[in-house]
Amino acid sequence: MDWLINQNIILVSFLGGLFTFLVTLLGALSVIICPKINEKILSIIIGFSAGVMLASAIYSLLNPAIELARELDYFLVFPVFIGLILGFVFLILIDYFLNLKNKRSSATLLLTSMTIHNIPEGLCIGVAFGSIALGLDNLDFVQAISLTLAIGLQNFPEGMACALPLQNEGFSKKKSFLFGSMSAIVEPISAVIGAIIVIIVKTVLPYLLSFASIIMILVVINELLPEMIIKRKIPTSIGFILGFCVMLLLDICL
């Protein structure tokens, strides 16, 4: 931790994005090590990831956005609501353009969707670490680390969700692993971009924090929970509560 704090914040943002990419790689590796995952265990893992991400979106992004808006003497509702609306519109546009290409195979469409959705996740990491460089009291290193861990945790089942369908469509294990893990290669790049934007333009930080928070919330609602809740309601719910409580305890204790 001490070593990270003393490093250039752009480098730290890159390392955060690199960490989440490596976790995706581990998830995709399951297609080689264990091609069949117990569905109950997978439901708990995905539920846990969703709980972690939701707690992080609220406590590490949305709350700091509100506090920072106060600190910068902004009209409180304006930057937070604008950021939330922009994040929502951004994901709607992504889904719209992806659906225009529905002639692709379902696995390829999933892989493309995951790759594009990983761009704002990387931005979340960069925004969190970049804000530290501004020396603002309500944004700290522990919150940025917690946020990175949260995104990393949900990237593990995401890597599995990318690799396994590719194998089912006839790809070899090696190609399924490679393409599944590459879905998150954009995260280190977008993390650096997010950090640079925040450092250069301090006044946009409340907008970016709330933008990042709604991205994470919508990923939980649209990508992680729906299918698992339908298939395995109780295991998914147990995992969700555990994940949310773990991140809440980390936020309180740290």
Side-chain angles (χ1 to χ4, degrees):
M1 181 71 79
D2 290 337
W3 180 83
L4 279 175
I5 292 173
N6 293 323
Q7 300 306 307
N8 180 280
I9 210 68
I10 302 296
L11 173 61
V12 175
S13 299
F14 174 78
L15 292 175
L18 182 62
F19 166 76
T20 57
F21 162 68
L22 291 176
V23 176
T24 306
L25 186 147
L26 287 176
L29 191 61
S30 62
V31 77
I32 296 176
I33 298 176
C34 185
K36 291 187 178 180
I37 305 295
N38 182 282
E39 197 166 287
K40 286 185 179 180
I41 295 175
L42 181 61
S43 298
I44 293 173
I45 292 173
I46 292 178
F48 185 88
S49 302
V52 164
M53 284 193 70
L54 184 60
S56 295
I58 295 171
Y59 297 111
S60 297
L61 291 172
L62 192 55
N63 282 353
I66 295 171
E67 292 301 319
L68 182 58
R70 288 197 184 105
E71 185 178 318
L72 295 174
D73 294 325
Y74 288 162
F75 178 56
L76 181 59
V77 176
F78 181 75
V80 177
F81 276 12
I82 292 298
L84 293 175
I85 292 170
L86 288 176
F88 173 74
V89 171
F90 180 76
L91 281 187
I92 290 295
L93 289 175
I94 286 177
D95 289 336
Y96 172 75
F97 285 113
L98 284 176
N99 288 332
L100 290 179
K101 301 177 181 180
N102 57 12
K103 292 183 179 179
R104 297 183 180 186
S105 68
S106 58
T108 305
L109 188 61
L110 172 66
L111 181 60
T112 305
S113 176
M114 288 293 190
T115 302
I116 295 176
H117 278 84
N118 281 331
I119 295 174
E121 287 182 9
L123 288 173
C124 292
I125 295 170
V127 167
F129 282 111
S131 62
I132 299 169
L134 302 178
L136 301 169
D137 294 336
N138 54 311
L139 295 158
D140 59 46
F141 206 84
V142 173
Q143 284 181 317
I145 291 289
S146 297
L147 177 67
T148 304
L149 289 174
I151 293 176
L153 282 172
Q154 73 91 27
N155 274 12
F156 183 82
E158 187 176 286
M160 296 168 58
C162 285
L164 292 174
L166 290 173
Q167 185 185 22
N168 292 336
E169 288 203 0
F171 285 81
S172 68
K173 288 184 178 182
K174 288 184 179 180
K175 284 187 176 180
S176 298
F177 161 70
L178 178 63
F179 293 145
S181 59
M182 286 300 105
S183 65
I185 194 64
V186 295
E187 291 198 8
I189 300 169
S190 53
V192 170
I193 293 172
I196 292 172
I197 292 173
V198 168
I199 292 171
I200 293 176
V201 191
K202 173 184 176 181
T203 54
V204 304
L205 186 51
Y207 300 90
L208 288 177
L209 286 170
S210 55
F211 176 93
S213 72
I214 196 62
I215 292 292
M216 291 186 70
I217 291 169
L218 290 175
V219 166
V220 169
I221 295 173
N222 296 332
E223 307 292 338
L224 293 180
L225 288 183
E227 186 176 353
M228 287 297 105
I229 285 290
I230 293 172
K231 289 183 176 179
R232 298 283 180 181
K233 183 176 181 179
I234 294 179
T236 304
S237 299
I238 291 173
F240 179 85
I241 294 298
L242 287 174
F244 192 92
C245 289
V246 165
M247 288 308 297
L248 180 58
L249 285 173
L250 285 175
D251 185 75
I252 293 171
C253 295
L254 300 178

